[in-house]
Amino acid sequence: MTVETGAFFMRDRRRHPPALSPSYKTSVARSPRLPLLSLGSTMSEITGPVFGHGDLGPLDNDLIRNFASTGDPVGERIIVHGRVVDERGRGVPHTLLEVWQANAGGRYRHRNDRHLAPIDPNFGGCGRCLTDETGAYAFRTVKPGAYPWRNGANDWRPAHIHISVFGTGFAQRLITQMYFEGDPLIARCPIVQTLPDPAAIEALVAPLDMNAAVPFDSLAYRFDIVLRGRRSTFFENRPEGN
Amino acid sequence: MPQPLDYLKETPSQTAGPYVHIGLAPGAAGFEIFHNQLGADIAGPDAAGERISIEGRVLDGTGTAVKDVLIETWQANAAGIHAHPADPRHGEVEPGFRGWGRVVSDFETGRFVIETVKPGAVAGPGGRPMAPHISLWIVARGINLGLQTRICFADEPEANAACPVLGLIEQAHRRETLLAEPAGPGAYRFDVHLQGERETVFFDI
């Protein structure tokens, strides 16, 4: 495997939510107000943690089984799959994905979640996997439910799965949320609407993928993830940090 | 029309939310599921160098501690080498040293503790050595895109004065926002201020 050492492309911050997004109230007191300091990629940014199969257990990517004790969790069985690529379209192999979500009733297994929907004794709500050599990944779960949250007086989150991904350098570190095609709550969600660009919102909506569904077992959704690209090192100045 | 440029666009960020622990530190969420908790041990048992402990809080613009923050750390070992194949000397890193960790703030107090070894200097822009530092990536409810900053060490005045990254900070007094203050043998204190007069310097990397 070729080790990439090029600097990362400049991040297009218009693609991301601004730190201060008043409709998402918690962001107001938690958003930096001074300009970020631009820093080229140094060795500390082009490198990042490396994970291997020894870090994972055999059921880690199967949320239907990885916490089950008395049977399968309640809910619509789904497969979520896709590829992790960079902005040049190249697969990002052997990188760690971690996911977490509410159960089918919209309740998280978390000491701070007080939503009245019940905990599912057979559902933990988290999973993790490594991409393969092409950047492909898959996990199996139940479709999460929508739930109310304290922001406006009657704000509800659309069904979503949180996804964390590493890439090859610490500057690629990303957390996002995957939404489901056709959910009418997407357009009403203050967190989704922190994204100023409608095309960016569409990039977070996973389509139903019947070709990946398992008949009489599970539906499927496809969600591709794009991490920052990095420069090739042709005609490069001496890479910073080397 | 010129040929089209076929670059893809980065997937947009969304907040990690209040339940980030479920996915990244399930023990903190209140349950055990995996056979390990990734990021619990930054340096491993055999790493050379000074063992240090950095304690702090993340404070919001009202001065209130953020009690649902998750911080990832990334650093070189005591010899200034990263455990990553892009570092030409990565084969010299001690077995068990990953250099990456995760800490979560206490749900009651907001206090976090980073336990690791003090990193060595790493070459930076133009080959000039950067002051010993630990890179941070900070996520929480209300943070829409992970915040990137660094911890440097106040007891390394010469390395800090020569550091090409600290030198990029135009307002000299703001460099202090990146300095962990000694607080006893092997102990440091480092608070992150998300906004306000003492706002921490965050990076666009």
Side-chain angles (χ1 to χ4, degrees), chain A residues 142-171:
Chain A
V142 295
K143 191 174 178 183
Y147 59 84
W149 60 298
R150 294 192 182 280
N151 186 64
N154 189 24
D155 278 334
W156 290 70
R157 294 301 325 278
H160 64 277
I161 298 175
H162 297 264
I163 302 179
S164 159
V165 59
F166 278 82
T168 55
F170 207 50

PDB file of all heavy atoms in Angstrom, chain A residues 142-171:
ATOM      1  N   VAL A 142     -31.180  -1.721  13.242  1.00  0.00           N
ATOM      2  CA  VAL A 142     -32.599  -1.423  13.036  1.00  0.00           C
ATOM      3  C   VAL A 142     -32.720   0.074  12.769  1.00  0.00           C
ATOM      4  O   VAL A 142     -31.899   0.870  13.254  1.00  0.00           O
ATOM      5  CB  VAL A 142     -33.477  -1.823  14.240  1.00  0.00           C
ATOM      6  CG1 VAL A 142     -33.468  -3.343  14.424  1.00  0.00           C
ATOM      7  CG2 VAL A 142     -33.051  -1.115  15.511  1.00  0.00           C
ATOM      8  N   LYS A 143     -33.733   0.437  12.017  1.00  0.00           N
ATOM      9  CA  LYS A 143     -33.900   1.857  11.687  1.00  0.00           C
ATOM     10  C   LYS A 143     -34.248   2.630  12.959  1.00  0.00           C
ATOM     11  O   LYS A 143     -35.170   2.239  13.690  1.00  0.00           O
ATOM     12  CB  LYS A 143     -35.007   2.017  10.640  1.00  0.00           C
ATOM     13  CG  LYS A 143     -35.065   3.411  10.050  1.00  0.00           C
ATOM     14  CD  LYS A 143     -36.084   3.465   8.908  1.00  0.00           C
ATOM     15  CE  LYS A 143     -36.174   4.870   8.349  1.00  0.00           C
ATOM     16  NZ  LYS A 143     -37.192   4.967   7.295  1.00  0.00           N
ATOM     17  N   PRO A 144     -33.504   3.704  13.235  1.00  0.00           N
ATOM     18  CA  PRO A 144     -33.780   4.468  14.453  1.00  0.00           C
ATOM     19  C   PRO A 144     -35.084   5.260  14.327  1.00  0.00           C
ATOM     20  O   PRO A 144     -35.507   5.619  13.229  1.00  0.00           O
ATOM     21  CB  PRO A 144     -32.575   5.405  14.558  1.00  0.00           C
ATOM     22  CG  PRO A 144     -32.079   5.538  13.156  1.00  0.00           C
ATOM     23  CD  PRO A 144     -32.372   4.240  12.469  1.00  0.00           C
ATOM     24  N   GLY A 145     -35.700   5.551  15.458  1.00  0.00           N
ATOM     25  CA  GLY A 145     -36.906   6.362  15.480  1.00  0.00           C
ATOM     26  C   GLY A 145     -36.584   7.845  15.604  1.00  0.00           C
ATOM     27  O   GLY A 145     -35.490   8.231  16.030  1.00  0.00           O
ATOM     28  N   ALA A 146     -37.547   8.674  15.206  1.00  0.00           N
ATOM     29  CA  ALA A 146     -37.452  10.116  15.465  1.00  0.00           C
ATOM     30  C   ALA A 146     -37.673  10.358  16.952  1.00  0.00           C
ATOM     31  O   ALA A 146     -38.246   9.520  17.646  1.00  0.00           O
ATOM     32  CB  ALA A 146     -38.502  10.856  14.638  1.00  0.00           C
ATOM     33  N   TYR A 147     -37.203  11.502  17.437  1.00  0.00           N
ATOM     34  CA  TYR A 147     -37.427  11.814  18.857  1.00  0.00           C
ATOM     35  C   TYR A 147     -37.437  13.328  19.071  1.00  0.00           C
ATOM     36  O   TYR A 147     -36.828  14.077  18.321  1.00  0.00           O
ATOM     37  CB  TYR A 147     -36.378  11.143  19.742  1.00  0.00           C
ATOM     38  CG  TYR A 147     -34.953  11.536  19.445  1.00  0.00           C
ATOM     39  CD1 TYR A 147     -34.388  12.684  19.988  1.00  0.00           C
ATOM     40  CD2 TYR A 147     -34.157  10.746  18.617  1.00  0.00           C
ATOM     41  CE1 TYR A 147     -33.093  13.042  19.710  1.00  0.00           C
ATOM     42  CE2 TYR A 147     -32.849  11.099  18.332  1.00  0.00           C
ATOM     43  CZ  TYR A 147     -32.320  12.250  18.893  1.00  0.00           C
ATOM     44  OH  TYR A 147     -31.036  12.603  18.602  1.00  0.00           O
ATOM     45  N   PRO A 148     -38.134  13.755  20.147  1.00  0.00           N
ATOM     46  CA  PRO A 148     -38.171  15.190  20.464  1.00  0.00           C
ATOM     47  C   PRO A 148     -36.917  15.610  21.211  1.00  0.00           C
ATOM     48  O   PRO A 148     -36.295  14.795  21.900  1.00  0.00           O
ATOM     49  CB  PRO A 148     -39.398  15.296  21.374  1.00  0.00           C
ATOM     50  CG  PRO A 148     -39.445  13.974  22.063  1.00  0.00           C
ATOM     51  CD  PRO A 148     -38.940  12.963  21.080  1.00  0.00           C
ATOM     52  N   TRP A 149     -36.550  16.887  21.081  1.00  0.00           N
ATOM     53  CA  TRP A 149     -35.376  17.379  21.818  1.00  0.00           C
ATOM     54  C   TRP A 149     -35.601  18.826  22.219  1.00  0.00           C
ATOM     55  O   TRP A 149     -36.423  19.520  21.629  1.00  0.00           O
ATOM     56  CB  TRP A 149     -34.105  17.209  20.994  1.00  0.00           C
ATOM     57  CG  TRP A 149     -34.076  17.942  19.679  1.00  0.00           C
ATOM     58  CD1 TRP A 149     -34.918  17.764  18.612  1.00  0.00           C
ATOM     59  CD2 TRP A 149     -33.170  18.976  19.292  1.00  0.00           C
ATOM     60  NE1 TRP A 149     -34.580  18.602  17.585  1.00  0.00           N
ATOM     61  CE2 TRP A 149     -33.507  19.364  17.980  1.00  0.00           C
ATOM     62  CE3 TRP A 149     -32.093  19.610  19.928  1.00  0.00           C
ATOM     63  CZ2 TRP A 149     -32.814  20.368  17.282  1.00  0.00           C
ATOM     64  CZ3 TRP A 149     -31.400  20.589  19.224  1.00  0.00           C
ATOM     65  CH2 TRP A 149     -31.764  20.955  17.924  1.00  0.00           C
ATOM     66  N   ARG A 150     -34.896  19.253  23.247  1.00  0.00           N
ATOM     67  CA  ARG A 150     -35.098  20.590  23.785  1.00  0.00           C
ATOM     68  C   ARG A 150     -34.315  21.607  22.974  1.00  0.00           C
ATOM     69  O   ARG A 150     -33.112  21.735  23.113  1.00  0.00           O
ATOM     70  CB  ARG A 150     -34.682  20.630  25.257  1.00  0.00           C
ATOM     71  CG  ARG A 150     -35.573  19.771  26.107  1.00  0.00           C
ATOM     72  CD  ARG A 150     -35.399  19.991  27.592  1.00  0.00           C
ATOM     73  NE  ARG A 150     -36.276  19.067  28.290  1.00  0.00           N
ATOM     74  CZ  ARG A 150     -37.581  19.274  28.467  1.00  0.00           C
ATOM     75  NH1 ARG A 150     -38.141  20.385  28.023  1.00  0.00           N
ATOM     76  NH2 ARG A 150     -38.327  18.384  29.085  1.00  0.00           N
ATOM     77  N   ASN A 151     -35.037  22.303  22.124  1.00  0.00           N
ATOM     78  CA  ASN A 151     -34.452  23.389  21.332  1.00  0.00           C
ATOM     79  C   ASN A 151     -35.575  24.384  21.156  1.00  0.00           C
ATOM     80  O   ASN A 151     -35.751  25.294  21.973  1.00  0.00           O
ATOM     81  CB  ASN A 151     -33.917  22.846  20.002  1.00  0.00           C
ATOM     82  CG  ASN A 151     -33.161  23.895  19.206  1.00  0.00           C
ATOM     83  OD1 ASN A 151     -32.122  24.377  19.637  1.00  0.00           O
ATOM     84  ND2 ASN A 151     -33.685  24.278  18.045  1.00  0.00           N
ATOM     85  N   GLY A 152     -36.419  24.201  20.128  1.00  0.00           N
ATOM     86  CA  GLY A 152     -37.712  24.872  20.097  1.00  0.00           C
ATOM     87  C   GLY A 152     -38.678  24.096  20.997  1.00  0.00           C
ATOM     88  O   GLY A 152     -38.343  23.051  21.553  1.00  0.00           O
ATOM     89  N   ALA A 153     -39.907  24.615  21.086  1.00  0.00           N
ATOM     90  CA  ALA A 153     -40.876  23.986  21.978  1.00  0.00           C
ATOM     91  C   ALA A 153     -41.355  22.631  21.453  1.00  0.00           C
ATOM     92  O   ALA A 153     -41.852  21.805  22.213  1.00  0.00           O
ATOM     93  CB  ALA A 153     -42.068  24.918  22.188  1.00  0.00           C
ATOM     94  N   ASN A 154     -41.218  22.414  20.150  1.00  0.00           N
ATOM     95  CA  ASN A 154     -41.705  21.159  19.566  1.00  0.00           C
ATOM     96  C   ASN A 154     -40.789  20.735  18.419  1.00  0.00           C
ATOM     97  O   ASN A 154     -41.238  20.485  17.306  1.00  0.00           O
ATOM     98  CB  ASN A 154     -43.157  21.353  19.088  1.00  0.00           C
ATOM     99  CG  ASN A 154     -43.817  20.046  18.657  1.00  0.00           C
ATOM    100  OD1 ASN A 154     -43.427  18.970  19.086  1.00  0.00           O
ATOM    101  ND2 ASN A 154     -44.810  20.155  17.778  1.00  0.00           N
ATOM    102  N   ASP A 155     -39.506  20.679  18.696  1.00  0.00           N
ATOM    103  CA  ASP A 155     -38.539  20.244  17.677  1.00  0.00           C
ATOM    104  C   ASP A 155     -38.313  18.743  17.790  1.00  0.00           C
ATOM    105  O   ASP A 155     -38.173  18.204  18.894  1.00  0.00           O
ATOM    106  CB  ASP A 155     -37.195  20.973  17.858  1.00  0.00           C
ATOM    107  CG  ASP A 155     -37.211  22.360  17.233  1.00  0.00           C
ATOM    108  OD1 ASP A 155     -38.001  22.575  16.284  1.00  0.00           O
ATOM    109  OD2 ASP A 155     -36.453  23.234  17.696  1.00  0.00           O
ATOM    110  N   TRP A 156     -38.248  18.096  16.654  1.00  0.00           N
ATOM    111  CA  TRP A 156     -38.010  16.652  16.584  1.00  0.00           C
ATOM    112  C   TRP A 156     -36.841  16.388  15.651  1.00  0.00           C
ATOM    113  O   TRP A 156     -36.727  17.005  14.593  1.00  0.00           O
ATOM    114  CB  TRP A 156     -39.253  15.921  16.040  1.00  0.00           C
ATOM    115  CG  TRP A 156     -40.403  15.924  16.999  1.00  0.00           C
ATOM    116  CD1 TRP A 156     -41.162  17.008  17.362  1.00  0.00           C
ATOM    117  CD2 TRP A 156     -40.914  14.803  17.717  1.00  0.00           C
ATOM    118  NE1 TRP A 156     -42.108  16.624  18.271  1.00  0.00           N
ATOM    119  CE2 TRP A 156     -41.996  15.275  18.504  1.00  0.00           C
ATOM    120  CE3 TRP A 156     -40.572  13.455  17.773  1.00  0.00           C
ATOM    121  CZ2 TRP A 156     -42.727  14.436  19.341  1.00  0.00           C
ATOM    122  CZ3 TRP A 156     -41.299  12.618  18.602  1.00  0.00           C
ATOM    123  CH2 TRP A 156     -42.372  13.106  19.385  1.00  0.00           C
ATOM    124  N   ARG A 157     -35.994  15.461  16.058  1.00  0.00           N
ATOM    125  CA  ARG A 157     -34.924  15.036  15.164  1.00  0.00           C
ATOM    126  C   ARG A 157     -35.474  14.022  14.155  1.00  0.00           C
ATOM    127  O   ARG A 157     -36.199  13.104  14.523  1.00  0.00           O
ATOM    128  CB  ARG A 157     -33.778  14.344  15.936  1.00  0.00           C
ATOM    129  CG  ARG A 157     -32.979  15.182  16.904  1.00  0.00           C
ATOM    130  CD  ARG A 157     -32.285  16.395  16.314  1.00  0.00           C
ATOM    131  NE  ARG A 157     -31.761  16.308  14.967  1.00  0.00           N
ATOM    132  CZ  ARG A 157     -30.590  15.763  14.618  1.00  0.00           C
ATOM    133  NH1 ARG A 157     -29.814  15.207  15.519  1.00  0.00           N
ATOM    134  NH2 ARG A 157     -30.175  15.771  13.361  1.00  0.00           N
ATOM    135  N   PRO A 158     -35.120  14.169  12.884  1.00  0.00           N
ATOM    136  CA  PRO A 158     -35.423  13.095  11.933  1.00  0.00           C
ATOM    137  C   PRO A 158     -34.643  11.842  12.320  1.00  0.00           C
ATOM    138  O   PRO A 158     -33.650  11.925  13.058  1.00  0.00           O
ATOM    139  CB  PRO A 158     -34.927  13.656  10.594  1.00  0.00           C
ATOM    140  CG  PRO A 158     -33.941  14.712  10.939  1.00  0.00           C
ATOM    141  CD  PRO A 158     -34.317  15.248  12.294  1.00  0.00           C
ATOM    142  N   ALA A 159     -35.110  10.694  11.857  1.00  0.00           N
ATOM    143  CA  ALA A 159     -34.342   9.466  12.078  1.00  0.00           C
ATOM    144  C   ALA A 159     -32.922   9.668  11.538  1.00  0.00           C
ATOM    145  O   ALA A 159     -32.744  10.187  10.430  1.00  0.00           O
ATOM    146  CB  ALA A 159     -35.015   8.297  11.350  1.00  0.00           C
ATOM    147  N   HIS A 160     -31.940   9.292  12.313  1.00  0.00           N
ATOM    148  CA  HIS A 160     -30.553   9.498  11.868  1.00  0.00           C
ATOM    149  C   HIS A 160     -29.619   8.530  12.564  1.00  0.00           C
ATOM    150  O   HIS A 160     -29.900   8.031  13.656  1.00  0.00           O
ATOM    151  CB  HIS A 160     -30.100  10.941  12.136  1.00  0.00           C
ATOM    152  CG  HIS A 160     -30.063  11.297  13.589  1.00  0.00           C
ATOM    153  ND1 HIS A 160     -31.187  11.692  14.271  1.00  0.00           N
ATOM    154  CD2 HIS A 160     -29.059  11.304  14.497  1.00  0.00           C
ATOM    155  CE1 HIS A 160     -30.885  11.928  15.534  1.00  0.00           C
ATOM    156  NE2 HIS A 160     -29.596  11.690  15.713  1.00  0.00           N
ATOM    157  N   ILE A 161     -28.493   8.295  11.912  1.00  0.00           N
ATOM    158  CA  ILE A 161     -27.401   7.511  12.489  1.00  0.00           C
ATOM    159  C   ILE A 161     -26.166   8.399  12.514  1.00  0.00           C
ATOM    160  O   ILE A 161     -25.807   9.010  11.497  1.00  0.00           O
ATOM    161  CB  ILE A 161     -27.132   6.230  11.661  1.00  0.00           C
ATOM    162  CG1 ILE A 161     -28.385   5.334  11.669  1.00  0.00           C
ATOM    163  CG2 ILE A 161     -25.921   5.481  12.213  1.00  0.00           C
ATOM    164  CD1 ILE A 161     -28.267   4.099  10.793  1.00  0.00           C
ATOM    165  N   HIS A 162     -25.544   8.512  13.684  1.00  0.00           N
ATOM    166  CA  HIS A 162     -24.295   9.270  13.806  1.00  0.00           C
ATOM    167  C   HIS A 162     -23.146   8.400  13.285  1.00  0.00           C
ATOM    168  O   HIS A 162     -23.071   7.212  13.616  1.00  0.00           O
ATOM    169  CB  HIS A 162     -24.012   9.606  15.263  1.00  0.00           C
ATOM    170  CG  HIS A 162     -25.036  10.489  15.905  1.00  0.00           C
ATOM    171  ND1 HIS A 162     -24.892  11.852  15.995  1.00  0.00           N
ATOM    172  CD2 HIS A 162     -26.222  10.199  16.498  1.00  0.00           C
ATOM    173  CE1 HIS A 162     -25.931  12.366  16.625  1.00  0.00           C
ATOM    174  NE2 HIS A 162     -26.773  11.389  16.942  1.00  0.00           N
ATOM    175  N   ILE A 163     -22.269   9.008  12.507  1.00  0.00           N
ATOM    176  CA  ILE A 163     -21.132   8.270  11.952  1.00  0.00           C
ATOM    177  C   ILE A 163     -19.851   9.056  12.210  1.00  0.00           C
ATOM    178  O   ILE A 163     -19.773  10.246  11.900  1.00  0.00           O
ATOM    179  CB  ILE A 163     -21.303   8.028  10.437  1.00  0.00           C
ATOM    180  CG1 ILE A 163     -22.605   7.266  10.167  1.00  0.00           C
ATOM    181  CG2 ILE A 163     -20.097   7.264   9.877  1.00  0.00           C
ATOM    182  CD1 ILE A 163     -22.878   7.009   8.700  1.00  0.00           C
ATOM    183  N   SER A 164     -18.880   8.370  12.759  1.00  0.00           N
ATOM    184  CA  SER A 164     -17.550   8.939  13.004  1.00  0.00           C
ATOM    185  C   SER A 164     -16.562   8.214  12.105  1.00  0.00           C
ATOM    186  O   SER A 164     -16.595   6.987  11.999  1.00  0.00           O
ATOM    187  CB  SER A 164     -17.191   8.714  14.477  1.00  0.00           C
ATOM    188  OG  SER A 164     -15.794   8.788  14.676  1.00  0.00           O
ATOM    189  N   VAL A 165     -15.666   8.964  11.460  1.00  0.00           N
ATOM    190  CA  VAL A 165     -14.710   8.328  10.552  1.00  0.00           C
ATOM    191  C   VAL A 165     -13.350   9.014  10.680  1.00  0.00           C
ATOM    192  O   VAL A 165     -13.277  10.225  10.946  1.00  0.00           O
ATOM    193  CB  VAL A 165     -15.253   8.314   9.099  1.00  0.00           C
ATOM    194  CG1 VAL A 165     -15.540   9.695   8.592  1.00  0.00           C
ATOM    195  CG2 VAL A 165     -14.329   7.561   8.170  1.00  0.00           C
ATOM    196  N   PHE A 166     -12.288   8.250  10.512  1.00  0.00           N
ATOM    197  CA  PHE A 166     -10.938   8.756  10.758  1.00  0.00           C
ATOM    198  C   PHE A 166     -10.203   9.185   9.496  1.00  0.00           C
ATOM    199  O   PHE A 166      -9.643  10.266   9.439  1.00  0.00           O
ATOM    200  CB  PHE A 166     -10.102   7.696  11.494  1.00  0.00           C
ATOM    201  CG  PHE A 166     -10.361   7.692  12.966  1.00  0.00           C
ATOM    202  CD1 PHE A 166     -11.460   7.030  13.473  1.00  0.00           C
ATOM    203  CD2 PHE A 166      -9.537   8.370  13.830  1.00  0.00           C
ATOM    204  CE1 PHE A 166     -11.714   7.034  14.838  1.00  0.00           C
ATOM    205  CE2 PHE A 166      -9.783   8.398  15.196  1.00  0.00           C
ATOM    206  CZ  PHE A 166     -10.878   7.724  15.691  1.00  0.00           C
ATOM    207  N   GLY A 167     -10.125   8.323   8.462  1.00  0.00           N
ATOM    208  CA  GLY A 167      -9.228   8.615   7.354  1.00  0.00           C
ATOM    209  C   GLY A 167      -7.791   8.287   7.723  1.00  0.00           C
ATOM    210  O   GLY A 167      -7.512   7.567   8.695  1.00  0.00           O
ATOM    211  N   THR A 168      -6.857   8.838   6.947  1.00  0.00           N
ATOM    212  CA  THR A 168      -5.449   8.492   7.153  1.00  0.00           C
ATOM    213  C   THR A 168      -4.693   9.544   7.952  1.00  0.00           C
ATOM    214  O   THR A 168      -3.584   9.285   8.399  1.00  0.00           O
ATOM    215  CB  THR A 168      -4.739   8.313   5.805  1.00  0.00           C
ATOM    216  OG1 THR A 168      -4.939   9.500   5.026  1.00  0.00           O
ATOM    217  CG2 THR A 168      -5.309   7.127   5.047  1.00  0.00           C
ATOM    218  N   GLY A 169      -5.236  10.736   8.098  1.00  0.00           N
ATOM    219  CA  GLY A 169      -4.563  11.791   8.850  1.00  0.00           C
ATOM    220  C   GLY A 169      -5.541  12.473   9.796  1.00  0.00           C
ATOM    221  O   GLY A 169      -6.744  12.526   9.534  1.00  0.00           O
ATOM    222  N   PHE A 170      -5.020  13.007  10.891  1.00  0.00           N
ATOM    223  CA  PHE A 170      -5.883  13.579  11.919  1.00  0.00           C
ATOM    224  C   PHE A 170      -6.697  14.756  11.361  1.00  0.00           C
ATOM    225  O   PHE A 170      -7.765  15.079  11.874  1.00  0.00           O
ATOM    226  CB  PHE A 170      -5.019  14.036  13.104  1.00  0.00           C
ATOM    227  CG  PHE A 170      -5.739  14.035  14.423  1.00  0.00           C
ATOM    228  CD1 PHE A 170      -6.464  12.930  14.853  1.00  0.00           C
ATOM    229  CD2 PHE A 170      -5.677  15.140  15.260  1.00  0.00           C
ATOM    230  CE1 PHE A 170      -7.122  12.936  16.081  1.00  0.00           C
ATOM    231  CE2 PHE A 170      -6.325  15.151  16.488  1.00  0.00           C
ATOM    232  CZ  PHE A 170      -7.054  14.051  16.902  1.00  0.00           C
ATOM    233  N   ALA A 171      -6.201  15.410  10.303  1.00  0.00           N
ATOM    234  CA  ALA A 171      -6.930  16.532   9.710  1.00  0.00           C
ATOM    235  C   ALA A 171      -8.192  16.073   8.971  1.00  0.00           C
ATOM    236  O   ALA A 171      -9.027  16.903   8.604  1.00  0.00           O
ATOM    237  CB  ALA A 171      -6.033  17.313   8.750  1.00  0.00           C
TER     238      ALA A 171
END
